[in-house]
Amino acid sequence: IADIAVLVVSAEDGVKQQTTEALKCIKDAEIPYIVAITKIDKPNANVERVKQDLAEHEIYIEGYGGEVPCIPISAKSGAGVPELLDMMLLVAELAELKGDKTKSAEGVVIESSLNPKRGISATLIIEEGTLKKGSFIVAEDSVAPVRMMENFLGKNIDEASFSSPIRITGWQKIPTIGAPFKTYPSKKEAEAAIESYLLGVRAKTKSPQAQATTNENGEEAQVVTIPLIIKTDVVGTLEAIEKEIGNLDTEKVKIKIVQKGVGTISENDVKTVAGSEEPIIIGFLVCVDGSVPHLAE
């Protein structure tokens, strides 16, 4: 989603494994980036050593054989932060990053969650156009009227333009992380966009390429399958946990995710796996309905 990346490196620790991993992400995205050497106020800080360390890891900054801007900063005192912001503006200007405020807003869903009191919320990044109250947002097959819009400080706002992170509450279903969104002036147009999306999904499902066949054999009968329900506070966490659990599969043990979602662990979750053998319900940063522990027992 980002147009510019900031690669943060500690003035104390220098280049670490996570630094090189982050650099790979930046290069894969093919976007310009700035190196920010942080913690320059620390007693063991050594900015020059870090610059040499960067060069040894093929991160060539200005003055060390490359063209990547490098700004030393201190998060504690604020030193260098104005220079970093100015550099972002310069890089944006050189890359000719522009947007059109007159267009209807569009962008990407970056997080979503379910709150029993507030309902379904999603954090979005606007990449183009302007979003105003009274319009409707569609992300794949999920829609939300723009009645309550918050900025990154949690304050209610009436409109937001490109590059703004915003939170929208009132979705009819949890939108998928990474899903593109568009805005429409009326509910009728929003519903038409959803119908068009669903028709496209159905067409792909019916295509020969999408048909999958499963071959069962005697060996598979010996595999132990563990039924699992996962509930988390936000969708991003759910995806991360699901991915890691997928890595636990072996030739003799398979993890079968029966149900997954965000929000409170409910009686329905327990009833879903009640007939399974040795089922497991995992909750991460979520509440449990009062009757659930007894029902699970």
Side-chain angles (χ1 to χ4, degrees):
I1 302 170
D3 296 307
I4 301 171
V6 180
L7 183 64
V8 182
V9 186
S10 167
E12 283 187 308
D13 304 325
V15 177
K16 294 288 187 181
Q17 182 181 345
Q18 57 264 38
T19 313
T20 55
E21 290 173 354
L23 179 64
K24 184 180 183 303
C25 291
I26 294 169
K27 288 184 174 179
D28 288 346
E30 297 181 344
I31 56 175
Y33 69 102
I34 303 165
V35 173
I37 300 178
T38 189
K39 298 184 180 179
I40 60 172
D41 54 285
K42 292 282 190 175
N44 297 327
N46 190 328
V47 174
E48 291 306 312
R49 186 193 67 212
V50 173
K51 289 180 177 180
Q52 293 171 5
D53 196 10
L54 288 166
E56 290 172 6
H57 286 82
E58 299 182 357
I59 304 172
Y60 301 114
I61 62 173
E62 292 175 343
Y64 280 76
E67 299 179 352
V68 180
C70 178
I71 310 292
I73 67 168
S74 167
K76 187 175 182 180
S77 69
V81 174
E83 289 81 359
L84 177 61
L85 297 176
D86 287 341
M87 183 56 70
M88 288 182 188
L89 294 176
L90 178 60
V91 171
E93 188 177 331
L94 292 171
E96 298 183 344
L97 301 176
K98 298 176 182 178
D100 186 350
K101 287 189 176 183
T102 63
K103 291 183 177 181
S104 296
E106 56 184 67
V108 180
V109 178
I110 59 172
E111 187 55 276
S112 53
S113 61
L114 172 62
N115 185 299
K117 294 181 180 179
R118 299 186 57 179
I120 299 172
S121 298
T123 303
L124 319 174
I125 290 289
I126 302 174
E127 294 186 306
E128 181 71 292
T130 299
L131 180 63
K132 298 180 180 180
K133 282 188 175 180
S135 56
F136 291 81
I137 296 182
V138 173
E140 294 180 340
D141 60 343
S142 184
V143 63
V146 185
R147 297 195 187 102
M148 185 176 176
M149 176 165 53
E150 298 174 325
N151 64 9
F152 69 97
L153 297 172
K155 294 181 179 179
N156 279 315
I157 54 176
D158 293 328
E159 69 174 58
S161 189
F162 48 84
S163 297
S164 299
I166 56 167
R167 180 184 291 126
I168 300 293
T169 302
W171 296 81
Q172 125 275 356
K173 64 177 292 187
I174 297 174
T176 306
I177 291 178
F181 75 82
K182 290 187 176 182
T183 53
Y184 299 89
S186 68
K187 186 177 181 181
K188 186 176 181 180
E189 289 173 274
E191 289 174 343
I194 291 176
E195 184 60 31
S196 176
Y197 168 78
L198 292 174
L199 285 172
V201 170
R202 293 187 195 113
K204 289 180 181 178
T205 304
K206 291 178 181 178
S207 66
Q209 292 83 358
Q211 300 299 325
T213 57
T214 304
N215 296 319
E216 296 182 356
N217 54 47
E219 291 180 3
E220 289 182 341
Q222 305 300 317
V223 175
V224 175
T225 301
I226 300 175
L228 184 66
I229 285 182
I230 312 171
K231 300 296 286 286
T232 65
D233 56 340
V234 294
V235 177
T237 303
L238 178 63
E239 290 184 354
I241 291 176
E242 185 180 3
K243 181 180 178 181
E244 290 304 313
I245 286 175
N247 295 332
L248 298 177
D249 282 349
T250 67
E251 291 182 2
K252 294 186 177 181
V253 178
K254 299 292 180 185
I255 308 293
K256 181 182 180 182
I257 299 177
V258 179
Q259 189 165 291
K260 60 184 178 179
V262 296
T264 303
I265 298 175
S266 64
E267 286 189 13
N268 184 57
D269 294 318
V270 179
K271 291 175 181 177
T272 299
V273 289
S276 305
E277 187 176 345
E278 303 292 338
I280 300 172
I281 300 175
I282 293 178
F284 184 84
L285 293 178
V286 293
C287 299
V288 179
D289 283 348
S291 59
V292 165
H294 176 71
L295 185 63
E297 286 294 329

